[in-house]
Amino acid sequence: MFAAESHTSRHYIAIVAMACLCVLLGGPSYAAGAESLIIAGATYYEPGVSGPGWAWTDADHLELNGYAGEAIGADGNLVLTLAGQNSVTESRATDADITLCGMEVWGNLTLRGTGTPTATGSQCGIHVSQALVVDGCTVDVRADGVDITDEAVAGVIAGDVTMRGGGRVVAAGAGSGAGVRAYGVYLQDAGLGDGAAGCRLSVDASWLDATGADGGVACAGGSFVSARFVTPAGGAFGASGVVDASGAVAPHVVVEPDVATPPAGETDRGEVTGDSAGKSPADANPAAGEPTTGPTANPALKPATATTKITTTVTKTTVAKTAKPKPATATTSSLPKTGDSNWIAAPFTFFLLGTTLLAAAYRC
């Protein structure tokens, strides 16, 4: 009886150990991130590739250093590390996957590093379906509204935006087409179900300069940490965007750190306590040394005949962005996966553990 029970026990232990090994060995070979990357007119499905001024080092990490080229898109979360001057311009090719924005990320996007990206497009400079984080870098994003009608255009279109670490953002949107509404920063839920948690602007000791005829910043709300409104005077977060002291939507919004050391030649404006949306600053101009506020002249662009146009439904407060970049038909050959070193070592570790468990089971 004891021998039979011992045999059955060993049998169950062996089954459980092998099941665990199958699950662990079948795990992902690299960290979760973007499933594909579109850059310089080509689509890549595996990290470990690079080109002039760029390198996709792992699934959720792209590096730009002196990149100057066509639109960048990612299907999934992406961290973008910047070095040097970088320029990203929307593609006007008829078969391009991204035709209306300089950068388009269907997930979360974090911009970091010491470099500067300039992103331009007809509908948006940067579109992020979820959260955009600007961590310490300088960003210039602009939309010119060329060939856009009945849609919202903005330098940034995102679910919500967080600026921290002394980041600087200049965002401008313009357009003269029928039904076009222009914003500097446009925050939308995009059907993600974030509700009140989304569509918010958060600024922590950073600079923002946003310009648009229909609103500098359109959002459901916001918060400041060591930052304040400089423009408009008496600015505050309204129900659908930043408003001035009278409650009117502000076409130009400037935020700066409230404890920043003023640049040479500028007097200190004094410290203002955090979340100072209702206070009236003494100076209505951004800090000296900040990027210019008005849109720069973009090169003349030929009309686009895009096949994957991003459709938005326009009202004064909402716009739903529904299109998603599809995989390009002309892609590079499949490349080997570059696995995360931890996942490479893990299967062997668990195999040895499983072997030990099996040996122990048969000794019982």
Side-chain angles (χ1 to χ4, degrees):
M1 175 67 73
F2 177 81
E5 290 177 352
S6 177
H7 175 77
T8 302
S9 176
R10 290 198 301 270
H11 181 67
Y12 286 152
I13 292 174
I15 292 175
V16 171
M18 292 305 296
C20 291
L21 284 174
C22 289
V23 171
L24 292 169
L25 292 175
S29 60
Y30 52 84
E35 296 180 4
S36 63
L37 177 73
I38 302 170
I39 186 168
T43 302
Y44 302 89
Y45 296 98
E46 302 289 350
V49 292
S50 62
W54 66 272
W56 190 19
T57 57
D58 56 61
D60 62 353
H61 189 204
L62 175 66
E63 297 177 355
L64 296 185
N65 188 351
Y67 176 82
E70 293 183 6
I72 296 175
D75 186 3
N77 299 333
L78 189 67
V79 175
L80 181 56
T81 300
L82 301 150
Q85 299 293 320
N86 301 277
S87 176
V88 184
T89 306
E90 91 173 68
S91 172
R92 292 278 175 159
T94 57
D95 60 347
D97 290 301
I98 304 175
T99 58
L100 300 176
C101 301
M103 294 185 64
E104 189 164 337
V105 174
W106 290 90
N108 299 306
L109 173 64
T110 297
L111 302 176
R112 69 185 186 188
T114 59
T116 300
T118 299
T120 58
S122 54
Q123 186 179 1
C124 53
I126 293 179
H127 167 251
V128 182
S129 69
Q130 297 184 31
L132 170 64
V133 176
V134 178
D135 191 356
C137 55
T138 299
V139 181
D140 191 310
V141 283
R142 302 173 188 272
D144 56 26
V146 173
D147 297 328
I148 301 296
T149 58
D150 299 317
E151 296 179 2
V153 300
V156 171
I157 297 178
D160 56 39
V161 171
T162 298
M163 298 177 56
R164 65 194 185 200
R168 293 175 178 262
V169 173
V170 173
S176 58
V180 167
R181 302 195 63 78
Y183 304 90
V185 175
Y186 196 105
L187 306 184
Q188 59 176 359
D189 179 49
L192 300 175
D194 292 336
C199 308
R200 296 179 63 84
L201 171 69
S202 300
V203 182
D204 183 356
S206 298
W207 287 260
L208 170 66
D209 193 317
T211 306
D214 295 286
V217 176
C219 59
S223 62
F224 286 158
V225 177
S226 298
R228 63 172 182 172
F229 284 119
V230 175
T231 304
F237 290 106
S240 60
V242 174
V243 297
D244 61 22
S246 70
V249 174
H252 186 199
V253 174
V254 177
V255 177
E256 72 171 15
D258 62 10
V259 293
T261 302
E266 184 176 347
T267 58
D268 189 358
R269 297 187 179 96
E271 180 175 342
V272 180
T273 57
D275 199 6
S276 57
K279 296 188 171 52
S280 176
D283 191 334
N285 294 314
E290 184 177 355
T292 57
T293 61
T296 57
N298 291 322
L301 301 175
K302 64 182 180 179
T305 55
T307 59
T308 56
K309 187 174 183 179
I310 301 170
T311 302
T312 56
T313 302
V314 179
T315 65
K316 285 183 177 295
T317 59
T318 61
V319 56
K321 199 174 185 70
T322 59
K324 182 176 181 179
K326 65 180 189 313
T329 55
T331 62
T332 59
S333 58
S334 178
L335 297 170
K337 290 184 178 181
T338 56
D340 187 294
S341 59
N342 292 330
W343 275 106
I344 292 175
F348 295 101
T349 302
F350 287 117
F351 178 79
L352 293 176
L353 177 60
T355 303
T356 303
L357 288 173
L358 290 173
Y362 279 101
R363 285 198 300 270
C364 294

